[in-house]
Amino acid sequence: MAPWLVPRLFSPALDAQIGGSGLRSALLPSSTSDSTTTSTSSPPSNALPRALPASRAFSTAALAAAAPARSGLRSSKLTRTTAASRLEQTTTHLAFSTSSSASMPPLAKPSTNHYDMVVIGGGSGAMGVSRRAAAYGKKVCVIEEDGRLGGTCVNVGCVPKKLMWHAADMAEHLSEAPEYGFGDVNNKPAVPGFAWNYFAEKRDAYVRRLNGIYDRNLDKDGVEYLSGHGKLTGANEVEITMRGEDGKFTAGTHKVTGDRIVIATGGRPIIPSDDKIPGASLGVDSDGFFALREQPKRVVVVGAGYIAVELAGVFNTLGSETHLLIRHDTFLRPFDPIISETLQDHMSKTGLRVHQKTNITRVEGERGGPLTIHTDNGSPIEADCLLWAIGRRPNTDNLGLEHVGVKLDQGGNIVVDKYQKTNVDSVFAIGDIQGKALLTPVAIAAGRKLSNRLYGHASLKDDHMDYTNIPTVIFSHPTSGTVGLSEPEAVDKFGKDKVKVHTSKFVSMYYGMLEHKAPSAFKMVVGPGDKVVGLHIVGLGADEMLQGFAVAVKMGATVKDFQETCAIHPTSAEEVVTMVPTTHKP
């Protein structure tokens, strides 16, 4: 059995290093005062009052089968046995202990039969909407089934992903240090090996600490946290199948009513079925990436979106032989070409092996062992880990939506209007579940604005999320960011003659001392009236510099506004305000 598929919950060495009293007790707040919980993002959340028992640690079979099993278990009929089985597989798959300390469990049952707002889900959107509603004095409960608050972002998304990116970034800086005069500048020493297991457990401890913080935030705001599965049984009624301390849904069933019901159950990654691609289940999904306890030497990542590019970049930069399989010529195709083309060209030069126009036809091997991956383009690839990053689907199964007539689109997303309201007046949906802009800050903002509109001052009665000009960053190598329209989108919207582009391609000063250089490439897309309608940047520091420029784009700044802003020198960001108009048109 491959060692990277056999994680332990805690490392004795790390436990001793932190203080010898136990990793959980060292990193989670002690629980003598707080009694409930909080939440934040999209898919999982909940909090049992103890760590997972040893019998629930990873099995190789659970790791590879968890995602498809979880999908299959969301049948239209939830029995307590099925719920317990799904939960056990989910927590096993994620291999984290629960978010609460022993003295801070979720409530054993609802404190009342009626709430102003009932929120199903415990991720980012749920946190935003529930805590804001409570701030207006409303009685609110949050129902979460997965054992931890925080959702995808905190548990198996943004937060642990960024920490892995930081580790990979550190590896790059270590390799570059001698050229800046550190160590033996004539005979560059090898970069120290990366202790994946140590870092993964330290990363997970950080995540558990965040889980505990979310728990306490809900408690402080007066939001009730109920650990269980919520299902609509009426337009204003939710049935809660409670989860016991053993992780099984056998702790009783309660029905509560709510003036408003908010669905914020997020989404989950998908893996092809074995019927479609024989052996596909031998791979893991993006959740499974965070379950790896040892670094695989050879990795195949399948997908062309930002998750695939980010995780492939981490593997490659940390030294794994990494193959990225994409169906078309380029990855990141929904982004502006300056991002996809610049990144694909550079990352290919750093050792990432990009297989264009390649699809997997079958996978051979055994769980936990070497895999032979057959494709429709070229020789088979031998790998120790196959990671699918081919998309996500909304968690709309078994929520009782059909019982009350809530409309879904063809992708299974809940259909909402600009106020996050479904076709059922009392039911709302926020976050990934409604299929637009699957980003944590979007879910939080949409949730807060919904509660503002429902319960706030009269001036907030039209408050709603604006889904235009949302900035986002790809934690690639180097990083990249985008806000507004891409060049092709601007041309489609305004016409070719109404669009101008300003570009700047250069090498950051940091690389002036280095033999191997990473590119910087900036593009400003200008629409009618010289308004900046899009900004796309690749290069060192792109992730941090985009936020400020996004404010300007959101405010409708023109090229003149940018150019009349004095540059900060010497920085890469100054290129954004010094790019001169060019004659290039799309």
Side-chain angles (χ1 to χ4, degrees):
M1 185 182 295
W4 47 87
L5 293 181
V6 191
R8 303 194 318 268
L9 286 179
F10 302 123
S11 159
L14 180 58
D15 191 67
Q17 182 178 352
I18 291 174
S21 59
L23 188 62
R24 163 171 293 280
S25 59
L27 291 178
L28 287 182
S30 69
S31 63
T32 51
S33 56
D34 295 22
S35 59
T36 36
T37 61
T38 88
S39 59
T40 71
S41 60
S42 37
S45 59
N46 225 304
L48 285 182
R50 54 183 176 79
L52 293 175
S55 62
R56 304 256 304 278
F58 279 89
S59 69
T60 319
L63 179 63
R70 184 181 181 195
S71 175
L73 286 169
R74 279 186 171 270
S75 62
S76 59
K77 296 181 179 180
L78 175 70
T79 65
R80 293 181 179 179
T81 301
T82 300
S85 174
R86 180 178 67 216
L87 181 62
E88 186 164 344
Q89 292 184 25
T90 300
T91 51
T92 297
H93 175 53
L94 297 174
F96 287 108
S97 64
T98 55
S99 63
S100 294
S101 57
S103 63
M104 201 175 3
L107 297 183
K109 63 179 182 179
S111 68
T112 181
N113 294 325
H114 182 78
Y115 295 86
D116 296 305
M117 177 183 285
V118 176
V119 182
I120 303 177
S124 299
M127 292 302 97
V129 71
S130 65
R131 296 181 64 192
R132 182 59 56 88
Y136 286 117
K138 300 303 176 180
K139 183 70 172 176
V140 185
C141 72
V142 166
I143 307 164
E144 174 53 56
E145 68 173 31
D146 279 342
R148 303 162 299 169
L149 292 173
T152 294
C153 176
V154 169
N155 296 300
V156 287
C158 325
V159 172
K161 179 271 302 287
K162 180 68 179 291
L163 292 173
M164 294 305 294
W165 180 88
H166 277 308
D169 186 53
M170 182 67 70
E172 289 186 316
H173 288 309
L174 286 170
S175 69
E176 296 160 348
E179 294 184 76
Y180 263 91
F182 292 91
D184 190 337
V185 298
N186 296 315
N187 300 297
K188 295 182 182 179
V191 175
F194 178 62
W196 185 292
N197 179 273
Y198 162 81
F199 189 79
E201 294 190 6
K202 191 174 183 180
R203 175 202 70 205
D204 295 354
Y206 177 79
V207 169
R208 286 191 294 273
R209 179 172 176 270
L210 294 182
N211 295 146
I213 290 172
Y214 286 9
D215 291 348
R216 293 194 305 280
N217 284 344
L218 281 190
D219 185 42
K220 291 175 182 177
D221 289 346
V223 177
E224 290 187 11
Y225 167 34
L226 302 171
S227 181
H229 177 82
K231 180 178 180 179
L232 291 171
T233 51
N236 295 93
E237 184 180 68
V238 175
E239 179 183 83
I240 309 170
T241 304
M242 301 297 294
R243 175 184 174 181
E245 292 186 9
D246 58 359
K248 297 180 180 180
F249 290 91
T250 56
T253 300
H254 303 271
K255 285 189 176 182
V256 299
T257 56
D259 295 333
R260 273 103 176 192
I261 297 171
V262 180
I263 310 297
T265 49
R268 62 186 184 272
I270 58 177
I271 290 181
S273 68
D274 286 336
D275 292 336
K276 184 176 181 180
I277 301 177
S281 64
L282 294 172
V284 300
D285 56 25
S286 57
D287 288 1
F289 171 83
F290 299 104
L292 300 176
R293 297 294 103 172
E294 299 293 339
Q295 181 175 356
K297 294 181 179 179
R298 304 167 300 174
V299 181
V300 170
V301 178
V302 185
Y306 76 91
I307 295 175
V309 171
E310 289 177 334
L311 299 187
V314 168
F315 278 127
N316 180 61
T317 307
L318 290 176
S320 296
E321 177 189 305
T322 308
H323 301 259
L324 179 62
L325 277 54
I326 61 177
R327 291 186 299 167
H328 301 280
D329 287 321
T330 58
F331 54 57
L332 301 175
R333 291 186 304 125
F335 294 84
D336 191 273
I338 201 168
I339 290 179
S340 56
E341 293 169 4
T342 302
L343 284 178
Q344 186 161 326
D345 177 68
H346 176 70
M347 293 179 73
S348 297
K349 293 175 181 176
T350 65
L352 177 64
R353 307 176 191 192
V354 181
H355 300 253
Q356 299 165 299
K357 296 183 177 179
T358 301
N359 299 281
I360 293 180
T361 56
R362 75 180 189 277
V363 182
E364 296 177 335
E366 297 181 358
R367 266 180 236 289
L371 302 174
T372 301
I373 297 165
H374 299 269
T375 73
D376 59 4
N377 183 8
S379 303
I381 305 171
E382 301 294 327
D384 303 301
C385 177
L386 167 63
L387 191 151
W388 298 96
I390 56 175
R392 298 177 64 83
R393 60 156 298 182
N395 287 327
T396 48
D397 303 326
N398 196 37
L399 292 177
L401 302 178
E402 70 287 345
H403 182 77
V404 296
V406 174
K407 290 183 180 178
L408 307 179
D409 65 17
Q410 291 183 343
N413 303 294
I414 297 179
V415 178
V416 298
D417 61 16
K418 73 175 185 177
Y419 298 113
Q420 310 295 150
K421 188 168 73 172
T422 70
N423 60 299
V424 179
D425 286 343
S426 58
V427 180
F428 303 80
I430 56 176
D432 294 4
I433 199 76
Q434 43 91 62
K436 293 184 291 187
L438 312 187
L439 299 166
T440 294
V442 172
I444 295 171
R448 289 173 176 170
K449 288 176 178 292
L450 173 58
S451 286
N452 285 344
R453 185 178 67 81
L454 294 176
Y455 306 121
H457 187 268
S459 63
L460 298 173
K461 292 306 179 184
D462 192 51
D463 207 11
H464 62 277
M465 181 66 195
D466 179 4
Y467 287 88
T468 62
N469 291 326
I470 295 173
T472 186
V473 161
I474 304 166
F475 289 98
S476 45
H477 296 268
T479 54
S480 53
T482 179
V483 60
L485 301 176
S486 67
E487 183 178 331
E489 289 172 338
V491 170
D492 287 344
K493 182 173 182 177
F494 302 115
K496 186 175 181 179
D497 294 336
K498 298 289 182 64
V499 176
K500 295 182 294 183
V501 295
H502 303 171
T503 59
S504 178
K505 297 183 179 181
F506 59 97
V507 175
S508 170
M509 181 183 289
Y510 172 77
Y511 295 103
M513 299 290 101
L514 304 179
E515 178 183 356
H516 299 290
K517 307 178 189 302
S520 290
F522 294 0
K523 177 187 286 187
M524 179 182 288
V525 182
V526 184
D530 266 357
K531 180 179 178 180
V532 177
V533 296
L535 182 64
H536 316 280
I537 57 179
V538 181
L540 183 68
D543 52 324
E544 295 292 347
M545 73 176 74
L546 182 68
Q547 184 74 76
F549 290 119
V551 175
V553 174
K554 187 73 174 178
M555 294 177 66
T558 64
V559 173
K560 183 179 179 182
D561 293 325
F562 274 80
Q563 292 177 343
E564 289 193 348
T565 301
C566 188
I568 302 171
H569 180 76
T571 65
S572 294
E574 67 182 298
E575 290 291 322
V576 177
V577 298
T578 58
M579 285 190 290
V580 297
T582 66
T583 57
H584 167 67
K585 286 189 175 183

